[in-house]
Amino acid sequence: MKTEPVSQSSLKRKKTPFSDTPYPWLIPLTLLLIAVFLYPILEIVRMSFTDMSLVDTEFRYTLESYVRLFTLPGFWPMLGTTGFFVFFSVVFQLLCGFIVALLIVRGESLKLKGTIVVRTSVLVAWAIPGVVIGIIFEMLYTETQAGILNYFLSMIGLGPITFLSDPTMALLSVTLANIWRGTAFSMILMYAGLQTISKDVLEAAKIDGAGAFQRLRNVIIPAILPIVLINLIIISIDTFNTFDMVMALTQGGPGNSTEVIALSIYTSIFQEFNLGVGAATSMILLAINIVMTLIYLVVLGKGRNDE
């Protein structure tokens, strides 16, 4: 008995029941994202166009918050501090993460004992919360002999160094702490990228007479460049949003010398009780995050197309 072939048009007419699609499973997640992510963002946008305050229930819609923000005497120095903090943090996180990853890969190739311990030890910095890191470095930077660094410096006749009371030294100290904190994540991505490089390619380059530096420049770096770019964007976003570590370490001081943009938002809202200016500052940080995220998506999409 012959059966008639099912045409494509009849298959298209058969609709899949809604319960058999993945959409019902996505509804709770969508509602959660709207409640805890989209709605707060829309509220921040709305509040940035008001003169809201935590001490007054009345407010009006105005551009005064933006005007006041850009005319505040501490706004441009705060952006400069943030730029310094982000630039040097990102550069040295990339560099240190790459060097540590190279050393670990080299140790594994030589089958040295302890490479797993070193790799695990580096990952500890990534697992420690920012507040704890701030407290740890505050203990290191304490400007009396009770401070760990100044204690050892005093043993060789140096110090005490004003790590946290001098504005310039405080900014350098906070940046150094953030470099230590972010190097671990950078190392993870760099290590993963180095694992994708074919050993045959490296061996062929070595046979052709390429030295260590030539292999690094002509083989290793080009091979992991997409990972480096993704790493750069992710740690840039993370550094721009740094708050907890700086809050625990310096609270933005001395003065406002270590007040980064995320800490400035906290100060405007919870210390100066100015919701409007705080929300306007948040919009600047939100714009930076959106731009960096779009760049990340472009780089990620380009990498997939190249594959």
Side-chain angles (χ1 to χ4, degrees), residues 1 43 63 76 121 153 158 181 195 208 218:
M1 183 177 181
E43 276 294 288
L63 293 175
W76 299 108
S121 300
L153 289 173
L158 298 177
R181 177 191 187 187
Q195 294 297 315
D208 289 339
N218 299 322

Side-chain angles (χ1 to χ4, degrees), residues 18 22-40 42:
F18 181 75
Y23 300 113
W25 298 94
L26 295 176
I27 290 176
L29 177 62
T30 302
L31 294 176
L32 183 63
L33 289 175
I34 291 174
V36 303
F37 184 74
L38 182 60
Y39 174 73
L42 295 177

Side-chain angles (χ1 to χ4, degrees), residues 30 34 55 64 84 143 159 162 181 215 239:
T30 302
I34 291 174
V55 296
E64 181 181 344
F84 180 94
E143 296 172 7
T162 54
R181 177 191 187 187
R215 294 197 301 272
T239 306

Side-chain angles (χ1 to χ4, degrees), residues 19-303:
S19 59
D20 294 337
T21 65
Y23 300 113
W25 298 94
L26 295 176
I27 290 176
L29 177 62
T30 302
L31 294 176
L32 183 63
L33 289 175
I34 291 174
V36 303
F37 184 74
L38 182 60
Y39 174 73
I41 289 178
L42 295 177
E43 276 294 288
I44 290 173
V45 175
R46 183 179 71 88
M47 286 190 289
S48 69
F49 292 100
T50 68
D51 58 354
M52 282 187 180
S53 172
L54 288 178
V55 296
D56 190 0
T57 57
E58 296 183 0
F59 65 92
R60 58 190 177 90
Y61 289 94
T62 176
L63 293 175
E64 181 181 344
S65 294
Y66 285 98
V67 174
R68 183 178 176 185
L69 174 65
F70 289 110
T71 55
L72 284 173
F75 176 72
W76 299 108
M78 180 269 294
L79 287 185
T81 299
T82 304
F84 180 94
F85 176 74
V86 171
F87 177 79
F88 285 100
S89 292
V90 169
V91 168
F92 283 99
Q93 283 176 19
L94 280 175
L95 181 61
C96 295
F98 181 59
I99 292 173
V100 173
L102 272 178
L103 292 175
I104 292 176
V105 171
R106 180 60 177 168
E108 290 177 344
S109 65
L110 296 175
K111 297 182 180 180
L112 296 178
K113 295 181 180 179
T115 53
I116 296 178
V117 175
V118 173
R119 188 173 60 194
T120 305
S121 300
V122 175
L123 291 176
V124 170
W126 184 49
I128 297 176
V131 173
V132 177
I133 293 176
I135 295 173
I136 291 172
F137 272 86
E138 186 179 16
M139 295 168 60
L140 289 172
Y141 291 143
T142 300
E143 296 172 7
T144 64
Q145 287 194 353
I148 298 173
L149 291 179
N150 274 317
Y151 172 75
F152 286 108
L153 289 173
S154 66
M155 294 177 65
I156 58 175
L158 298 177
I161 296 178
T162 54
F163 288 109
L164 300 178
S165 60
D166 179 76
T168 303
M169 283 298 301
L171 181 56
L172 291 173
S173 300
V174 170
T175 305
L176 179 62
N178 194 62
I179 291 170
W180 182 85
R181 177 191 187 187
T183 294
F185 179 78
S186 182
M187 184 276 292
I188 294 171
L189 292 185
M190 295 294 191
Y191 178 80
L194 291 173
Q195 294 297 315
T196 63
I197 301 176
S198 173
K199 294 182 179 179
D200 295 335
V201 174
L202 291 173
E203 190 64 27
K206 189 175 181 179
I207 294 173
D208 289 339
F213 180 75
Q214 291 176 321
R215 294 197 301 272
L216 176 65
R217 184 185 63 183
N218 299 322
V219 179
I220 296 176
I221 293 180
I224 66 170
L225 188 58
I227 299 294
V228 174
L229 292 176
I230 292 174
N231 189 9
L232 172 65
I233 296 168
I234 292 176
I235 63 178
S236 296
I237 294 173
D238 186 58
T239 306
F240 267 112
N241 290 277
T242 299
F243 165 78
D244 48 1
M245 188 202 70
V246 181
M247 183 65 183
L249 183 55
T250 64
Q251 296 82 45
N256 295 322
S257 59
T258 60
E259 186 179 67
V260 294
I261 188 168
L263 187 58
S264 176
I265 296 169
Y266 172 85
T267 301
S268 297
I269 295 176
F270 296 104
Q271 294 185 4
E272 299 174 0
F273 308 115
N274 197 325
L275 280 173
V277 173
T281 311
S282 300
M283 292 302 299
I284 296 176
L285 184 58
L286 177 62
I288 293 172
N289 285 326
I290 290 175
V291 171
M292 298 299 293
T293 303
L294 291 176
I295 295 174
Y296 169 77
L297 293 175
V298 170
V299 172
L300 188 64
K302 186 177 179 181

